[in-house]
Amino acid sequence: MSKTAIITAKDVDVFYGDKQALDKIALDIPEYKVTSLIGPSGCGKSTFLRCINRMNDLVPIARVEGDIRIAGQDIYAPEVDVVALRAQVGMVFQKPNPFPKSIYENVAYGPKIHGLAKGKTEMDELVQWALEKAGLWNEVKDRLDQPGTGLSGGQQQRLCIARTIAVKPKVVLMDEPCSALDPIATAIIEELIDELRQNFTIVIVTHSMQQAARVSQRTAFFHLGTLVETGPTKNIFTSPEDERTQNYITGRIG
Amino acid sequence: MTDLISPSSQLKGRKSAETRFQWYGRGAIFVSLLFLVVMVGSILTKGVGAFGTTNVAIEVDLGPDAIDPANPADARFEKIVKDALKTQFPEAKKRKDRRMIYGLLSNDMGFELERFVEANPEAIGGTATVWFRASDDFDAVAKGAVDRSLPEDERRMSDKEIAWIDQLTEQGAVERTFNWSFFTNGDSREPELAGILSALMGSALTLLVCFCISFPVAILAAIYLEEFAPKNRFSDLIEVNINNLAAVPSIVFGLLGLSMFLNTFGMPRSSPLVGGLVLSLMTLPTIIIAARASLRAVPPSIREAALGMGASPVQATFHHVAPLALPGILTGTIVGMAQALGETAPLLMIGMVAFIVDVPDSILEPATALPVQIFLWADAPERAFVEKTSAAIIVLLLFLVTMNIIAILLRRKFEKRF
Ligand SMILES: Nc1ncnc2c1ncn2[C@@H]1O[C@H](COP(=O)(O)OP(=O)(O)OP(=O)(O)O)[C@@H](O)[C@H]1O
Ligand SMILES: [Mg+2]
C-alpha cells in the first residue's frame, strides 16, 4: 500500500441480486492524483466508482462486500453517516444534470445543506470560488440568476463540477464526464481536471484511451468484473503486463 | 439495393389512409365540440332569465295612520303594501281578485318596505314611491315568457292580471334589473327570492375541508410510497388497493360517511365538515395516483445529483423532486376537486340535501352544495325554478372554470424546465 493512498479498496465484491458484478477488487488510489478506470462496457467501472461514495446503497438489489477505506476510515462501517461521506466524496455524472434552478442556487445548494457558509457574502465568495475553479466564472458571472439548465452541455457539466467542489470534498468521482460533450468542451474539462488535482483527489471513468492518457497519472484496467492491472498511466499504455490490457488498449477487445 | 420508388398504387393507398385518418380525427373533434356547444348553449339560453329580475314601483302611504312615527318598527308593513295595491287597483274588490293583486309582488313585500323605511326614515308621514320585487309569474310576463295567444286557462296568468301588468308597464312603473339577490340570498320556496349563495358557500366550505384533508394526506402518501417505501409485495398490494379505491362508486363513500362520521362519531348532520370528509375519501386516491405518476416522471438524475451532493433523502425529495412534480400534482388535485364539486350522491347520504335558507358561515352548520341545489330546484314544481336550475348550473360551471384557471396559474408559476 502506497503511503499517500487516500482510498484503499480490498476484496471488494459487489452483487446485483445473484449476479456478481465485481470480484475481489483491490485498488489503492493516491491523494492529489487523477486515477482513471478503463475497461470494456459492463466490466464494473461505474459499479466500483459508486461504491466509493455508497451511491450503490440506492440500488435495492445491490450488495457490497469487502473493505473500502477513505483516509483510513471504513466507509461501510455501520456508524458511518452516508450524508457526511457524500459531502467528502463528491460525484459528477455522465450526463450533465444541473438542478432546474438558477446557476447560483446550483452551486450554493451543497454549501447550504452542509452549513459551509455563514451569511450572504461568504456564500457569494464560495460560489465565485467554485465557479472560478470550474473555469465557468467568466462565462456566467453576469447571469448567475438564470437557470442552470439554460447553459450549453459543456457549461452544464462544468456547473456540475463547480457544484460538487463547492462542498470542498476530499475526493471527486467522475463517471464518463465528457461522453456527452463535443471535443472542444471535452478539452476544456480535461484541462480543468488537471488543475483540480491541486486540491482534490480525482477518480475518473472513461472510455477514451486518449483521455485516460492525457489526464490521469494512474490507470486501472477492469475486465469482466475483475481488476486486471493497475499502475502509472505511462506504464499501462506503453508496456502493459497483462495480455488483456494489451488487447484492450490496442482496440482488440472493447 | 431495393427500389426506392414503390408502385404508385401503394403510395396512393398510404396517402389516402393518412388523409382519411386526419378527417376522422377532425370529425371526432367536431362532434365533441358540437355536444359542448349544444349543452352550454341550451343551459345559457335557459339560465340567463334567472339573472334578471322585475321590479315594480308602487306608491305607498306612510302617513301617521299606517306608521307611528315614534315607533316605526311596529308598523304592519305588509298591510301597508297591500293597501297601496288596493288603492292602485280599485276595481279589485272580490277576495279572489285581491289575492291576485297581492300576488303581483313577491312574498317579501313587507320586508322590502320595512327595509325602505329603515333606510329612508324621512319618508315617514307622507307618501313614497317604493320599488318592489315582482312575483315570479309577473316576471315571466314582463320577460315575454308567457304566450298571450294561448287560451286563458292554459297559462299561469289570467287576462285580468296581464291587463294590470300592462297598465303598470304603461305607467313606467316596471323595470328589469340585474338579479343581485340571486347571489346574495339563500334558498327559498319562492323562485323570485331564491338565491344560490347558501349552496355556493356550502360547496366552497365543503371543498375547503376536502382540500385541507385530501391534499396533504395524498401528497404525503404519494411521496412516501414513491420515494421511501421499500418495493415489495406489501407495497404492491397497497398500490392495487389505491387504484381500486379510485373506482369505487361515490355513493358507497356516502354510506361509509353516514355510518362512520354521523352514526359512530356523532358529527353534525348535513355539515360541510362531514361532506368534506366524505368527498376527501373519494378524492384521495385520485390525487395519490396523479401525484405518484408525476413523481415518477421526475428524472432520476435529479435525485442522484442531490444525493450525490450529500443531501439526505428527505432533502432530495423536498428540495428537488417534489417541486418538479408539483405541477402534475396540482393538475391531479384539480381533477379530484372538480369531481368532488360535482358529486351529489354521497352528499345526499349524509343529509346535505336539506332545504337551507341561511347561508352557512362555518363548517359545522347545516349546508347544501351546488349540485344538490340544482337537483332540488330541478325537482321544484314552480315554472320559474326551471331557469333557476340552469342558472345554478351556470354558477357551478363558472366555479369549475375558476378552479381550473387557478390551477393553470399555479402550474405556470411552478413549472420549470429540466
Ligand atoms: N442497477 C443494476 N441492477 C442490476 N445489474 C446492474 C446494475 N447496475 C449495473 N449492473 C450490472 O453490473 C455490471 C457492471 O455494470 P457497470 O455499470 O458497473 O459497468 P461499466 O463498466 O460502468 O459499463 P459502461 O462502460 O457501459 O458504463 C453489468 O453487467 C451490469 O449489467
Ligand atoms: Mg458506466
Side-chain angles (χ1 to χ4, degrees):
Chain A
M1 186 197 291
S2 84
K3 240 185 142 182
T4 53
I6 180 169
I7 305 172
T8 56
K10 263 192 291 189
D11 287 341
V12 176
D13 292 335
V14 177
F15 301 86
Y16 290 111
D18 297 331
K19 189 174 166 294
Q20 186 160 14
L22 287 181
D23 185 17
K24 297 270 173 294
I25 303 296
L27 181 65
D28 287 353
I29 291 169
E31 199 166 16
Y32 301 129
K33 293 254 160 54
V34 180
T35 303
S36 58
L37 311 182
I38 59 171
S41 191
C43 66
K45 307 178 296 290
S46 300
T47 301
F48 180 70
L49 199 69
R50 290 164 63 91
C51 288
I52 303 177
N53 69 345
R54 290 184 61 172
M55 285 299 268
N56 278 335
D57 291 12
L58 304 178
V59 182
I61 56 167
R63 187 159 49 87
V64 179
E65 284 170 8
D67 181 82
I68 300 178
R69 289 173 188 274
I70 293 180
Q73 213 180 352
D74 179 5
I75 61 167
Y76 281 88
E79 66 273 14
V80 165
D81 175 6
V82 182
V83 166
L85 168 72
R86 293 196 188 130
Q88 290 292 304
V89 186
M91 188 152 193
V92 177
F93 298 83
Q94 178 171 0
K95 219 175 126 238
N97 55 353
F99 299 127
K101 296 180 189 284
S102 75
I103 294 171
Y104 183 94
E105 284 173 276
N106 259 285
V107 182
Y109 181 68
K112 198 157 74 195
I113 58 172
H114 296 296
L116 297 184
K118 293 173 214 66
K120 174 103 178 76
T121 41
E122 216 172 298
M123 183 64 91
D124 287 349
E125 282 164 18
L126 183 54
V127 169
Q128 182 174 351
W129 173 85
L131 284 170
E132 274 171 354
K133 275 271 166 201
L136 195 60
W137 176 250
N138 285 329
E139 286 157 68
V140 302
K141 62 172 179 237
D142 301 322
R143 45 172 175 157
L144 290 174
D145 54 344
Q146 281 173 29
T149 41
L151 297 170
S152 75
Q155 288 174 325
Q156 287 189 18
Q157 195 61 303
R158 277 180 281 154
L159 178 61
C160 292
I161 293 175
R163 176 179 75 181
T164 306
I165 61 180
V167 187
K168 303 205 169 161
K170 285 204 185 77
V171 181
V172 179
L173 309 174
M174 300 185 177
D175 194 349
E176 303 183 41
C178 301
S179 65
L181 304 182
D182 65 79
I184 296 175
T186 303
I188 296 175
I189 303 242
E190 284 178 5
E191 238 170 79
L192 174 63
I193 291 172
D194 205 44
E195 261 169 54
L196 288 177
R197 145 168 96 86
Q198 317 286 324
N199 307 79
F200 308 96
T201 303
I202 295 172
V203 186
I204 178 172
V205 171
T206 174
H207 270 286
S208 152
M209 246 62 73
Q210 291 87 343
Q211 184 169 65
R214 279 193 299 264
V215 301
S216 69
Q217 286 74 53
R218 289 185 71 82
T219 297
F221 173 64
F222 284 70
H223 187 61
L224 298 176
T226 57
L227 176 64
V228 174
E229 191 172 351
T230 173
T233 301
K234 249 196 286 154
N235 299 1
I236 295 280
F237 281 95
T238 53
S239 52
E241 283 163 16
D242 196 287
E243 197 190 339
R244 287 170 289 176
T245 321
Q246 171 79 33
N247 287 344
Y248 180 70
I249 59 175
T250 53
R252 257 171 291 185
I253 53 171
Chain B
M1 203 179 138
T2 52
D3 197 354
L4 281 182
I5 300 159
S6 52
S8 64
S9 63
Q10 240 182 30
L11 182 68
K12 228 195 245 155
R14 265 205 312 272
K15 266 204 175 140
S16 65
E18 199 161 303
T19 318
R20 220 160 41 228
F21 173 75
Q22 289 205 3
W23 279 108
Y24 289 155
R26 285 184 199 134
I29 290 177
F30 177 75
V31 169
S32 41
L33 276 184
L34 194 71
F35 276 129
L36 191 72
V37 167
V38 168
M39 187 193 80
V40 173
S42 83
I43 290 170
L44 279 180
T45 44
K46 269 193 215 142
V48 278
F51 293 112
T53 184
T54 304
N55 298 318
V56 191
I58 303 285
E59 190 169 274
V60 288
D61 176 19
L62 301 176
D65 286 344
I67 294 191
D68 176 8
N71 204 355
D74 275 359
R76 295 174 56 202
F77 291 102
E78 191 163 333
K79 184 171 176 301
I80 301 174
V81 186
K82 285 184 173 168
D83 287 344
L85 284 167
K86 272 187 262 178
T87 327
Q88 179 106 20
F89 303 105
E91 68 273 22
K93 290 247 159 45
K94 282 188 273 177
R95 279 185 74 130
K96 195 166 152 255
D97 291 351
R98 288 259 168 88
R99 263 216 305 281
M100 277 204 249
I101 56 168
Y102 302 156
L104 290 174
L105 300 186
S106 82
N107 270 7
D108 255 8
M109 55 193 167
F111 297 112
E112 282 173 10
L113 182 62
E114 187 172 358
R115 246 175 282 147
F116 172 82
V117 171
E118 269 165 25
N120 307 286
E122 73 282 352
I124 296 173
T127 59
T129 306
V130 181
W131 287 95
F132 291 97
R133 177 177 296 254
S135 69
D136 52 331
D137 291 333
F138 189 147
D139 188 50
V141 174
K143 265 195 299 227
V146 172
D147 185 356
R148 291 174 190 229
S149 62
L150 281 177
E152 193 178 3
D153 52 357
E154 279 180 28
R155 51 179 142 82
R156 294 266 305 160
M157 290 229 118
S158 63
D159 289 340
K160 234 188 236 166
E161 287 170 288
I162 292 185
W164 288 329
I165 292 173
D166 288 344
Q167 182 191 334
L168 283 168
T169 314
E170 267 159 43
Q171 289 167 4
V174 177
E175 61 164 22
R176 294 217 7 108
T177 54
F178 186 74
N179 189 3
W180 285 112
S181 64
F182 182 65
F183 296 99
T184 55
N185 282 5
D187 196 8
S188 167
R189 297 276 181 225
E190 308 299 329
E192 70 272 20
L193 298 174
I196 196 78
L197 187 63
S198 57
L200 196 62
M201 274 306 281
S203 266
L205 289 172
T206 308
L207 279 192
L208 185 74
V209 173
C210 176
F211 178 81
C212 289
I213 293 168
S214 57
F215 187 68
V217 172
I219 296 232
L220 288 177
I223 288 184
Y224 176 74
L225 284 174
E226 205 50 47
E227 303 288 324
F228 296 97
K231 305 272 174 286
N232 53 26
R233 273 237 193 97
F234 186 62
S235 57
D236 286 349
L237 189 73
I238 290 180
E239 167 140 26
V240 169
N241 275 308
I242 288 175
N243 292 343
N244 285 342
L245 217 53
V248 170
S250 56
I251 191 123
V252 177
F253 290 114
L255 280 168
L256 181 76
L258 176 65
S259 69
M260 281 268 292
F261 300 130
L262 296 185
N263 296 348
T264 311
F265 298 144
M267 290 178 176
R269 269 191 91 75
S270 316
S271 64
L273 174 66
V274 178
L277 282 170
V278 168
L279 290 180
S280 64
L281 291 178
M282 225 187 69
T283 46
L284 258 175
T286 311
I287 305 182
I288 292 181
I289 291 171
R292 290 189 66 179
S294 51
L295 284 168
R296 220 171 299 154
V298 174
S301 65
I302 297 291
R303 274 179 208 102
E304 288 206 323
L307 295 170
M309 303 278 317
S312 66
V314 171
Q315 283 172 328
T317 301
F318 284 95
H319 294 169
H320 299 290
V321 179
L324 286 176
L326 199 56
I329 295 177
L330 284 177
T331 311
T333 308
I334 288 297
V335 171
M337 298 313 270
Q339 269 175 8
L341 177 64
E343 201 52 72
T344 334
L347 300 184
L348 301 184
M349 297 306 301
I350 55 147
M352 282 184 85
V353 64
F355 172 70
I356 307 288
V357 177
D358 295 323
V359 177
D361 48 25
S362 90
I363 55 169
L364 298 175
E365 279 168 43
T368 186
L370 280 171
V372 181
Q373 185 74 75
I374 291 167
F375 170 77
L376 286 173
W377 282 351
D379 229 23
E382 285 88 348
R383 282 283 306 152
F385 272 123
V386 174
E387 57 180 29
K388 293 273 166 186
T389 309
S390 292
I393 295 175
I394 294 174
V395 171
L396 181 70
L397 290 179
L398 284 178
F399 199 125
L400 258 175
V401 170
T402 316
M403 267 168 57
N404 274 321
I405 289 175
I406 293 174
I408 290 170
L409 291 179
L410 284 175
R411 208 153 53 207
R412 283 261 172 82
K413 192 165 175 299
F414 293 118
E415 213 145 56
K416 283 182 180 156
R417 286 167 297 133
F418 52 85

